[in-house]
Amino acid sequence: MNKAGRKAGLYNFYKNNFYIMTGTVKEIAVATGLSATKIRTQTKKPAWTIVVVRLGDNEFSLYEGDKYIFTGSKKEIAEHLNVAESTITYYAGPAYIERIEKQKDKYYLEEVE
């Protein structure tokens, strides 16, 4: 129960589009070192990061955040995302990974039903 006498909600907590933990806002605050206010007010809907991992010469796996989508050729993934094959080459390369790693931390709460 919270201070208002209501049952505390459970949330999945994501940082930079990757799942971290499930808990109440207070539990998440304690575990992450963030304030409960920051967790409540500065969490936004995720803008899932597309990640393409090269598995072989022409085999790639597509992820949205940490969620696996599918494995296929560069052409198949490009068609799925409605982008050019050269975009998939970029997504699978070191420049894109470096760009993702430089992004400012983004937090997201998803209420668990």
Side-chain angles (χ1 to χ4, degrees), residues 50 52 54 58 60 73-79 81-96 99:
I50 300 294
V52 177
R54 182 184 295 271
N58 193 31
F60 301 82
S73 69
K74 194 184 304 184
K75 182 178 180 178
E76 291 168 331
I77 292 175
E79 287 173 359
L81 295 175
N82 198 26
V83 298
E85 285 185 51
S86 60
T87 302
I88 303 308
T89 302
Y90 172 68
Y91 285 167
Y96 181 69
R99 179 179 173 198

Side-chain angles (χ1 to χ4, degrees), residues 51 107 110:
V51 178
Y107 304 105
E110 173 183 78

Side-chain angles (χ1 to χ4, degrees), residues 58-76:
N58 193 31
E59 188 175 33
F60 301 82
S61 284
L62 173 65
Y63 294 84
E64 290 185 39
D66 59 355
K67 179 182 171 193
Y68 170 78
I69 304 301
F70 75 93
T71 298
S73 69
K74 194 184 304 184
K75 182 178 180 178
E76 291 168 331

Side-chain angles (χ1 to χ4, degrees), residues 11-32:
Y11 298 90
N12 290 327
F13 179 72
Y14 298 85
K15 178 180 178 184
N16 296 330
N17 299 322
F18 293 96
Y19 171 81
I20 303 298
M21 68 178 287
T22 298
T24 64
V25 170
K26 187 175 183 178
E27 291 168 341
I28 293 168
V30 169
T32 61

Side-chain angles (χ1 to χ4, degrees), residues 31-52:
T32 61
L34 299 169
S35 72
T37 300
K38 180 173 182 119
I39 290 170
R40 276 191 212 95
T41 61
Q42 294 188 7
T43 53
K44 309 263 189 271
K45 276 208 158 244
W48 294 113
T49 302
I50 300 294
V51 178
V52 177

